[in-house]
Amino acid sequence: MSLADVLIRTATHADVDALTEVEQRCYRFPWSRFQFCQELNNPVATIDILSAEGQIAGYVCTWHVCDEVQILNLATAPGYRRQGVGSRLMEYLIAEAVEVGAQAIWLEVRVSNLAAIALYDRYGFVRHGL
């Protein structure tokens, strides 16, 4: 996959089944279809999808509240891992946060998720608790 051949767009309800399928392949305790629908109906939430070759390669769900952005969920579909999908989503997310005047971006991550921790470390996230 070439990073030039991808599209990042905001998810809609038409994407829920595909998001749920990717989520189930990514996580031991995946979000349900209902949870994705809740986020799409939440006025502070956004789900951005990175698509490649007509498929969901990854997505990030965020909340924007006051001057903060919270990352609730970020996933890369198994067939697209180690191809820069997570980095591309992080760069997009950070640029969007700057554009809306966010002063902080925060998240929670399992201590066992070393790939995610390495990604967040590359973007300068600082650990504040365990």
Side-chain angles (χ1 to χ4, degrees), residues 42-74:
N42 182 342
V44 302
T46 302
I47 302 173
D48 293 305
I49 293 173
L50 186 147
S51 61
E53 305 163 336
Q55 302 293 317
I56 294 177
Y59 53 87
V60 60
C61 179
T62 57
W63 283 3
H64 179 216
V65 179
C66 298
D67 64 350
E68 294 183 348
V69 171
Q70 179 183 4
I71 301 171
L72 285 96
N73 192 350
L74 189 147

Side-chain angles (χ1 to χ4, degrees), residues 13-72:
H13 284 279
D15 297 306
V16 170
D17 288 337
L19 287 165
T20 304
E21 180 183 326
V22 172
E23 177 80 2
Q24 290 173 347
R25 292 174 36 221
C26 289
Y27 294 112
R28 185 173 173 196
F29 302 105
W31 280 14
S32 66
R33 185 180 197 290
F34 178 75
Q35 286 171 290
F36 280 108
C37 289
Q38 280 185 306
E39 294 309 316
L40 288 171
N41 292 326
N42 182 342
V44 302
T46 302
I47 302 173
D48 293 305
I49 293 173
L50 186 147
S51 61
E53 305 163 336
Q55 302 293 317
I56 294 177
Y59 53 87
V60 60
C61 179
T62 57
W63 283 3
H64 179 216
V65 179
C66 298
D67 64 350
E68 294 183 348
V69 171
Q70 179 183 4
I71 301 171
L72 285 96

Side-chain angles (χ1 to χ4, degrees), residues 115-128:
I117 292 168
L119 175 68
Y120 302 133
D121 284 347
R122 279 198 310 270
Y123 288 93
F125 282 74
V126 178
R127 296 175 192 156
H128 285 285

